[in-house]
Amino acid sequence: MATGAASKRRLTILGSTGSIGRSTLDVVARLGGRDAFEMVALTGNGNVALLASQAVAFGAELAVTADETQYSELKQALAGTGIAVAAGRSGLVEAAERDAGWVMAAIVGNAGLAPTLAAAGRGADIALANKECLVSAGPLFVDAVRRGGGRLLPVDSEHNAIFQVLEGDQRHALERIILTASGGPFRTWPLAEMKGVTADTARAHPNWSMGLKISIDSASMFNKALEMIEARHLFSVAPEQIEVIVHPQSVVHSMVAYSDGSVLAQLGSPDMRTAIGYALTYPQRCSLPVERLDFTKLARLDFEAPDEARFPALRLARVAMQRGGVQGTVLNGAKEVALEAFIAGRIGFLDMAEITEAVMERLAAVPAASAMDDVFAADDEARRLAARLIG
Ligand code: NAD
Ligand code: MG
């Protein structure tokens, strides 16, 4: 019996105004836009004009600004369009709860946790850019996705690479996960010079164009620290199975080493649209206009061991994984406060790791979270302690 056109896939993008959010909309547009997809909800924070124009262009059903003070401005911008408007944390959760089968989680930081959990809980496929969900809520988040019944599709380029080369039926033969790191703008800088750098220098990533916070986290290698913990939960591997290697060209996006000596890698240009597209059309591959690798022009691919003396964040990730408990939550919460203070010019670049470590030490004995409330409590406590240390 003919039933007409197949129903369109329903999508929601949490954090559509950010770097990942805009790239996601670009991929959606290239894969057919409104002819191929129904946009359920889009969310932003500050940039109401951009959010409103995205909502109109993609025919969203709901637009949400996390910033309650901008509710009336958004309402006004969308007057007469028929697009529903909401604001604040409850608005974000409302967006996540609407019945989209695929949700891109691209809000930056811990603010992404509650809405992403809401989407996971109702069984949506989660395209996960927001690594903080896994760093902060680890096993509870994975469990929420499993119970909801949706798929967890990693978007972070390293984890997307591993996802692409992980052979599902060969998990028993997996020996190591090798996360590549560009090393950031200070890869070769002496420690003494790193002391005085500002947010403006730190945000200039050599290869990737990203949001402000993740760019600075890349410079301090806190981004790689978060990604180690992310990999542990995403792929259920032991801390000892996670290796980090500095690869300044960012062409090899990550690798998996197997027990027969084989190493499988995923390579590509540094363009997040490949990972986003893979998560959107999985298990199919889609067609995207990202720059093609020309091996005759790639002069070389370099690899070097990371220097944990200059980039202590990597050591902190290992400490957090070994201690277990809520140390991932604590590392992330303290780091977010320290990062805000660095951006505001209140602390130095190297102070971020020092403050994070001090907070982790103080909360070293807090037991593992058995419910999300424990995660939120540990996060609050880590933030409070970090703020006090910053003064
Ligand atoms: P971004 O700063 O460019 O965008 C963040 C988005 O979150 C924006 O839509 C912003 O409006 C929204 N937002 C900010 N604060 C919010 C709050 N308090 N409540 C609700 N919404 C808020 O960040 P990005 O670079 O797109 O990164 C998004 C996430 O993806 C981060 O978790 C980051 O670690 C991860 N990620 C990004 C990249 C990348 O290439 N940019 C790569 C891998 C992973
Ligand atoms: Mg990454």
Side-chain angles (χ1 to χ4, degrees):
M1 193 166 50
T3 53
S7 59
K8 293 179 195 168
R9 202 127 178 254
R10 288 169 62 74
L11 317 177
T12 280
I13 303 173
L14 304 169
S16 64
T17 56
S19 169
I20 292 287
R22 281 177 278 126
S23 294
T24 305
L25 286 174
D26 181 81
V27 169
V28 168
R30 287 174 197 278
L31 299 184
R34 294 172 76 159
D35 294 335
F37 302 100
E38 276 176 11
M39 195 55 75
V40 179
L42 297 176
T43 83
N45 189 31
N47 201 340
V48 165
L50 175 61
L51 176 61
S53 72
Q54 290 177 337
V56 170
F58 287 86
E61 295 169 13
L62 170 69
V64 178
T65 171
D67 181 352
E68 279 171 347
T69 66
Q70 306 212 8
Y71 173 75
S72 44
E73 201 184 324
L74 183 62
K75 183 109 191 138
Q76 214 162 22
L78 290 172
T81 60
I83 299 170
V85 170
R89 285 177 179 216
S90 60
L92 295 176
V93 172
E94 185 189 336
E97 281 176 344
R98 287 214 177 192
D99 66 336
W102 186 90
V103 176
M104 166 57 77
I107 290 173
V108 62
N110 230 38
L113 191 50
T116 309
L117 272 170
R122 65 170 178 77
D125 286 345
I126 306 293
L128 189 71
N130 176 291
K131 60 196 83 186
E132 294 84 355
C133 284
L134 282 168
V135 175
S136 192
L140 290 176
F141 179 75
V142 171
D143 198 45
V145 178
R146 196 186 46 75
R147 276 185 287 116
R151 289 187 287 207
L152 189 51
L153 305 161
V155 170
D156 210 346
S157 58
E158 296 78 0
H159 305 73
N160 185 267
I162 293 160
F163 184 62
Q164 290 195 36
V165 297
L166 204 55
E167 298 172 303
D169 56 350
Q170 295 297 315
R171 286 298 302 260
H172 62 281
L174 180 152
E175 252 179 23
R176 280 175 304 147
I177 274 178
I178 305 161
L179 292 174
T180 52
S182 71
F186 309 132
R187 179 174 61 87
T188 58
W189 286 38
L191 195 60
E193 279 178 42
M194 286 166 71
K195 226 182 183 127
V197 302
T198 62
D200 266 348
T201 342
R203 72 181 301 177
H205 196 277
N207 305 326
W208 295 89
S209 149
M210 307 182 287
L212 172 69
K213 290 184 181 175
I214 184 175
S215 298
I216 295 174
D217 278 349
S218 296
S220 62
M221 289 191 84
F222 259 114
N223 182 49
K224 210 51 55 183
L226 301 183
E227 290 182 355
M228 292 164 74
I229 304 174
E230 180 184 12
R232 166 161 169 69
H233 297 304
L234 204 42
F235 305 115
S236 311
V237 288
E240 316 76 72
Q241 288 177 293
I242 304 170
E243 183 178 328
V244 171
I245 187 97
V246 173
H247 166 46
Q249 292 90 358
S250 299
V251 168
V252 177
H253 293 156
S254 277
M255 301 179 264
V256 175
Y258 288 99
S259 55
D260 62 357
S262 294
V263 178
L264 303 194
Q266 187 259 352
L267 284 67
S269 300
D271 186 328
M272 288 306 294
R273 292 177 302 173
T274 298
I276 293 167
Y278 194 77
L280 180 57
T281 63
Y282 177 82
Q284 304 298 322
R285 285 189 187 273
C286 58
S287 176
L288 290 170
V290 304
E291 196 183 327
R292 287 352 190 204
L293 284 184
D294 179 346
F295 285 91
T296 62
K297 293 204 178 113
L298 281 178
R300 49 193 278 184
L301 296 178
D302 296 305
F303 299 94
E304 62 199 38
D307 177 355
E308 293 194 4
R310 288 183 305 123
F311 298 101
L314 301 175
R315 179 175 51 78
L316 298 185
R318 293 212 180 276
V319 170
M321 289 192 287
Q322 266 140 19
R323 280 187 190 152
V326 288
Q327 285 277 294
T329 321
V330 170
L331 179 150
N332 184 63
K335 188 278 294 175
E336 283 192 16
V337 171
L339 174 61
E340 299 274 6
F342 172 67
I343 292 171
R346 298 178 53 214
I347 60 171
F349 185 70
L350 300 175
D351 297 336
M352 289 192 284
E354 226 168 85
I355 287 160
T356 304
E357 182 164 20
V359 174
M360 284 171 65
E361 287 297 323
R362 286 185 201 195
L363 299 178
V366 180
S370 51
M372 280 310 295
D373 280 349
D374 302 334
V375 171
F376 293 127
D379 182 62
D380 282 348
E381 182 64 4
R383 284 170 197 271
R384 205 180 52 74
L385 281 175
R388 212 170 64 196
L389 286 174
I390 291 164

